[in-house]
Amino acid sequence: DALQDGINEYLAIACQLIHEKYVLGPESSYDAYIGVLPEVDEVNPTFTWPDEDLTFLDGSPVVAATRSLQMKLRREYDDLL
């Protein structure tokens, strides 16, 4: 009920996981499954890197892909607010 109609399905799933993990916690029916998901620091995705770390990849297509994903995530975050 809290999410707007027509929300991207990936964003809806992400919001549900956040609710299950941080609101319901151990009471969630999915707690055992959520417990085996890696934390961000274990995966270390480039979209979380600071700009100075991304400079090590200058000339690589990873930088453009990372920037694109960062912009997409920012737009989706702003749309939620």
Side-chain angles (χ1 to χ4, degrees):
D1 291 337
L3 298 177
Q4 60 200 16
D5 288 338
I7 190 170
N8 170 318
E9 66 266 17
Y10 297 108
L11 191 53
I13 291 169
C15 290
Q16 184 66 37
L17 283 171
I18 290 168
H19 177 77
E20 296 288 337
K21 181 172 182 169
Y22 296 106
V23 176
L24 298 179
E27 301 301 315
S28 168
S29 308
Y30 300 102
D31 186 55
Y33 302 105
I34 292 169
V36 299
L37 295 174
E39 296 291 330
V40 172
D41 61 334
E42 296 174 295
V43 179
N44 198 19
T46 58
F47 69 84
T48 66
W49 293 10
D51 289 338
E52 66 182 42
D53 288 352
L54 277 176
T55 61
F56 290 112
L57 298 176
D58 278 348
S60 166
V62 172
V63 176
T66 298
R67 297 276 184 238
S68 176
L69 182 56
Q70 287 171 329
M71 289 188 304
K72 177 182 181 286
L73 292 172
R74 172 54 65 187
R75 279 191 312 271
E76 289 178 347
Y77 175 78
D78 290 343
D79 287 347
L80 277 176
L81 299 179

